[in-house]
PDB file of all heavy atoms in Angstrom:
ATOM      1  N   PHE B  19       9.416  -5.108   8.215  1.00  0.00           N
ATOM      2  CA  PHE B  19       8.756  -4.100   7.543  1.00  0.00           C
ATOM      3  C   PHE B  19       7.597  -3.532   8.558  1.00  0.00           C
ATOM      4  O   PHE B  19       7.337  -2.291   8.485  1.00  0.00           O
ATOM      5  CB  PHE B  19       7.932  -4.640   6.342  1.00  0.00           C
ATOM      6  CG  PHE B  19       8.985  -4.933   5.262  1.00  0.00           C
ATOM      7  CD1 PHE B  19       9.265  -6.349   4.980  1.00  0.00           C
ATOM      8  CD2 PHE B  19       9.506  -4.032   4.375  1.00  0.00           C
ATOM      9  CE1 PHE B  19      10.138  -6.721   3.929  1.00  0.00           C
ATOM     10  CE2 PHE B  19      10.432  -4.377   3.426  1.00  0.00           C
ATOM     11  CZ  PHE B  19      10.716  -5.700   3.283  1.00  0.00           C
ATOM     12  N   CYS B  32       2.032  12.389  13.043  1.00  0.00           N
ATOM     13  CA  CYS B  32       1.152  11.188  13.119  1.00  0.00           C
ATOM     14  C   CYS B  32       0.666  10.751  14.373  1.00  0.00           C
ATOM     15  O   CYS B  32      -0.343  10.034  14.589  1.00  0.00           O
ATOM     16  CB  CYS B  32       1.735  10.043  12.264  1.00  0.00           C
ATOM     17  SG  CYS B  32       2.225  10.524  10.594  1.00  0.00           S
ATOM     18  N   ILE B  71      11.357  -4.840  -4.095  1.00  0.00           N
ATOM     19  CA  ILE B  71      10.162  -4.606  -3.380  1.00  0.00           C
ATOM     20  C   ILE B  71       9.220  -3.967  -4.326  1.00  0.00           C
ATOM     21  O   ILE B  71       9.452  -2.744  -4.794  1.00  0.00           O
ATOM     22  CB  ILE B  71      10.298  -3.915  -2.176  1.00  0.00           C
ATOM     23  CG1 ILE B  71      11.364  -4.560  -1.201  1.00  0.00           C
ATOM     24  CG2 ILE B  71       9.007  -3.654  -1.313  1.00  0.00           C
ATOM     25  CD1 ILE B  71      11.877  -3.682  -0.107  1.00  0.00           C
ATOM     26  N   GLU B  72       8.108  -4.530  -4.637  1.00  0.00           N
ATOM     27  CA  GLU B  72       7.148  -3.946  -5.652  1.00  0.00           C
ATOM     28  C   GLU B  72       6.015  -3.189  -4.856  1.00  0.00           C
ATOM     29  O   GLU B  72       5.741  -2.092  -5.376  1.00  0.00           O
ATOM     30  CB  GLU B  72       6.518  -5.090  -6.544  1.00  0.00           C
ATOM     31  CG  GLU B  72       5.715  -4.511  -7.681  1.00  0.00           C
ATOM     32  CD  GLU B  72       5.161  -5.691  -8.646  1.00  0.00           C
ATOM     33  OE1 GLU B  72       6.099  -6.490  -8.982  1.00  0.00           O
ATOM     34  OE2 GLU B  72       4.042  -5.752  -8.920  1.00  0.00           O
ATOM     35  N   ILE B  79      -6.329   3.164  10.806  1.00  0.00           N
ATOM     36  CA  ILE B  79      -7.494   3.903  11.213  1.00  0.00           C
ATOM     37  C   ILE B  79      -6.956   5.304  11.439  1.00  0.00           C
ATOM     38  O   ILE B  79      -5.956   5.544  12.103  1.00  0.00           O
ATOM     39  CB  ILE B  79      -8.129   3.431  12.533  1.00  0.00           C
ATOM     40  CG1 ILE B  79      -8.687   1.895  12.267  1.00  0.00           C
ATOM     41  CG2 ILE B  79      -9.128   4.255  13.129  1.00  0.00           C
ATOM     42  CD1 ILE B  79      -9.170   1.246  13.444  1.00  0.00           C
ATOM     43  N   GLN B  96       8.011   8.687   4.775  1.00  0.00           N
ATOM     44  CA  GLN B  96       8.903   8.234   5.803  1.00  0.00           C
ATOM     45  C   GLN B  96       9.298   6.729   5.677  1.00  0.00           C
ATOM     46  O   GLN B  96      10.485   6.449   5.830  1.00  0.00           O
ATOM     47  CB  GLN B  96       8.387   8.570   7.217  1.00  0.00           C
ATOM     48  CG  GLN B  96       9.320   8.330   8.290  1.00  0.00           C
ATOM     49  CD  GLN B  96      10.548   9.192   8.311  1.00  0.00           C
ATOM     50  OE1 GLN B  96      10.424  10.382   8.159  1.00  0.00           O
ATOM     51  NE2 GLN B  96      11.696   8.665   8.283  1.00  0.00           N
ATOM     52  N   ILE B 101      13.008   2.246   4.144  1.00  0.00           N
ATOM     53  CA  ILE B 101      13.348   1.126   3.330  1.00  0.00           C
ATOM     54  C   ILE B 101      14.622   1.356   2.437  1.00  0.00           C
ATOM     55  O   ILE B 101      15.349   0.494   2.252  1.00  0.00           O
ATOM     56  CB  ILE B 101      12.112   0.772   2.537  1.00  0.00           C
ATOM     57  CG1 ILE B 101      10.973   0.186   3.438  1.00  0.00           C
ATOM     58  CG2 ILE B 101      12.423  -0.268   1.412  1.00  0.00           C
ATOM     59  CD1 ILE B 101       9.682  -0.011   2.739  1.00  0.00           C
ATOM     60  N   LYS B 122     -15.734   9.090  18.512  1.00  0.00           N
ATOM     61  CA  LYS B 122     -16.067   8.324  19.753  1.00  0.00           C
ATOM     62  C   LYS B 122     -16.106   6.895  19.501  1.00  0.00           C
ATOM     63  O   LYS B 122     -15.664   6.132  20.354  1.00  0.00           O
ATOM     64  CB  LYS B 122     -17.553   8.820  20.200  1.00  0.00           C
ATOM     65  CG  LYS B 122     -17.566  10.208  20.599  1.00  0.00           C
ATOM     66  CD  LYS B 122     -18.962  10.603  21.069  1.00  0.00           C
ATOM     67  CE  LYS B 122     -18.953  12.073  21.498  1.00  0.00           C
ATOM     68  NZ  LYS B 122     -20.265  12.569  21.866  1.00  0.00           N
ATOM     69  N   ARG B 127     -14.599   2.301   7.090  1.00  0.00           N
ATOM     70  CA  ARG B 127     -14.430   3.012   5.677  1.00  0.00           C
ATOM     71  C   ARG B 127     -13.534   2.002   4.866  1.00  0.00           C
ATOM     72  O   ARG B 127     -12.954   1.141   5.334  1.00  0.00           O
ATOM     73  CB  ARG B 127     -13.522   4.311   5.898  1.00  0.00           C
ATOM     74  CG  ARG B 127     -14.324   5.415   6.604  1.00  0.00           C
ATOM     75  CD  ARG B 127     -15.510   5.964   5.801  1.00  0.00           C
ATOM     76  NE  ARG B 127     -16.193   7.007   6.470  1.00  0.00           N
ATOM     77  CZ  ARG B 127     -17.179   6.869   7.257  1.00  0.00           C
ATOM     78  NH1 ARG B 127     -17.694   5.697   7.507  1.00  0.00           N
ATOM     79  NH2 ARG B 127     -17.866   7.902   7.770  1.00  0.00           N
TER      80      ARG B 127
END
Side-chain angles (χ1 to χ4, degrees):
F19 293 101
C32 302
I71 303 167
E72 188 172 312
I79 291 175
Q96 186 64 51
I101 291 171
K122 291 180 182 177
R127 295 289 182 267

